[in-house]
Amino acid sequence: MKNPFYSWLTPVLAVGVTLLGFMLLRPEEPTSLYWINLAYSVCLEVLFFVWLRWGRIRSRSVDEQTIYFRVFLGVGTLYYIIAAVLWMVFYFLCGTRTGQQLLAIHFDLPDILATWPEMSIRIYLFGILGLTVLWIVIASIVGRHDVAYNTRQTALENATADVRSFVNELKDMAQQHQTQQTKREWKLLIMEAESIPPSQLASNEVRLRAKAEKLIDNNQ
């Protein structure tokens, strides 16, 4: 049974505390920046807990994607969250008058910050959009190449398994039908089957089966 504290209670509490904090710090006349930060903070928290829940990859869960892409997606998501938080902090400190005043108090730089204009909210939104698009585009490109690679790899593994199955079939036939006179021919036939590239099995299987049938007929 899953522990509810880790499955849903912790995310709900975290989001609730975030909303409560925003409500307590809500100015008398909330600006658009306030609402954007509120919504974006909640989105990042939800994304973080989704990453925390499904970010640990199990190899048995891999289907069309390889485990390496799952790991990349998890790491990339974490980096996106960190970059988004840093962008929010940077904009607040350097782009808003309140943040500039905090910097001035902490670093004693009032003369410099007095001439530092506030950044437009559009720049802030453009930064959020840019980070999000970059994250999605990189994940999409890597994911597409990963699917193509995994498809080729799966086809190769299936073809290799087919070659192995065919070789085992020939070995069973040899065990049942070989004689002292045909032992060498069976051995050569099996070695030839083992050397077949997986991609060329279809074009060689009929020919090798015909050889095996001929050896069986010669023993009768």
Side-chain angles (χ1 to χ4, degrees):
M1 181 177 179
K2 295 183 178 179
N3 191 331
F5 183 79
Y6 296 106
S7 60
W8 61 268
L9 187 57
T10 300
V12 169
L13 287 175
V15 173
V17 169
T18 299
L19 293 174
L20 179 61
F22 270 91
M23 291 300 104
L24 292 175
L25 297 175
R26 177 180 176 178
E28 294 182 0
E29 296 182 1
T31 62
S32 56
L33 178 62
Y34 172 85
W35 295 114
I36 292 172
N37 282 338
L38 173 59
Y40 197 44
S41 297
V42 171
C43 289
L44 290 178
E45 280 192 345
V46 171
L47 183 61
F48 172 76
F49 283 106
V50 169
W51 169 85
L52 201 63
R53 175 64 178 84
W54 286 286
R56 294 179 176 83
I57 307 305
R58 297 176 298 177
S59 59
R60 62 184 178 182
S61 69
V62 175
D63 38 41
E64 294 182 355
Q65 305 285 170
T66 66
I67 187 174
Y68 306 105
F69 175 75
R70 303 291 181 88
V71 173
F72 164 81
L73 187 60
V75 174
T77 300
L78 182 60
Y79 282 168
Y80 168 74
I81 295 173
I82 294 174
V85 172
L86 292 177
W87 172 242
M88 293 175 67
V89 173
F90 172 80
Y91 181 84
F92 172 74
L93 293 176
C94 300
T96 64
R97 188 58 60 190
T98 303
Q100 292 172 2
Q101 291 174 354
L102 290 176
L103 285 179
I105 294 173
H106 185 73
F107 293 103
D108 193 21
L109 299 173
D111 295 337
I112 296 178
L113 294 179
T115 59
W116 199 339
E118 291 188 73
M119 297 171 62
S120 171
I121 193 68
R122 294 182 180 181
I123 296 178
Y124 182 53
L125 291 175
F126 179 78
I128 294 176
L129 181 62
L131 287 174
T132 305
V133 170
L134 184 64
W135 171 51
I136 294 175
V137 167
I138 292 177
S140 299
I141 293 174
V142 175
R144 171 177 291 186
H145 287 285
D146 184 78
V147 168
Y149 167 79
N150 199 30
T151 301
R152 292 193 301 268
Q153 189 67 20
T154 301
L156 179 60
E157 291 175 357
N158 292 338
T160 302
D162 291 341
V163 171
R164 191 180 300 113
S165 176
F166 178 58
V167 170
N168 290 334
E169 184 180 349
L170 290 179
K171 288 180 179 179
D172 292 340
M173 295 171 64
Q175 189 174 6
Q176 296 176 16
H177 300 287
Q178 73 179 1
T179 62
Q180 194 64 31
Q181 291 75 19
T182 61
K183 183 176 181 179
R184 181 173 181 276
E185 285 78 4
W186 278 108
K187 183 177 180 180
L188 292 175
L189 180 62
I190 293 172
M191 290 177 60
E192 184 179 358
E194 291 175 336
S195 64
I196 296 176
S199 59
Q200 300 180 13
L201 175 63
S203 60
N204 287 276
E205 183 177 1
V206 175
R207 178 177 58 83
L208 294 179
R209 284 187 182 277
K211 285 187 176 182
E213 294 294 338
K214 185 176 181 180
L215 287 174
I216 294 174
D217 292 339
N218 291 339
N219 293 338
Q220 296 177 352

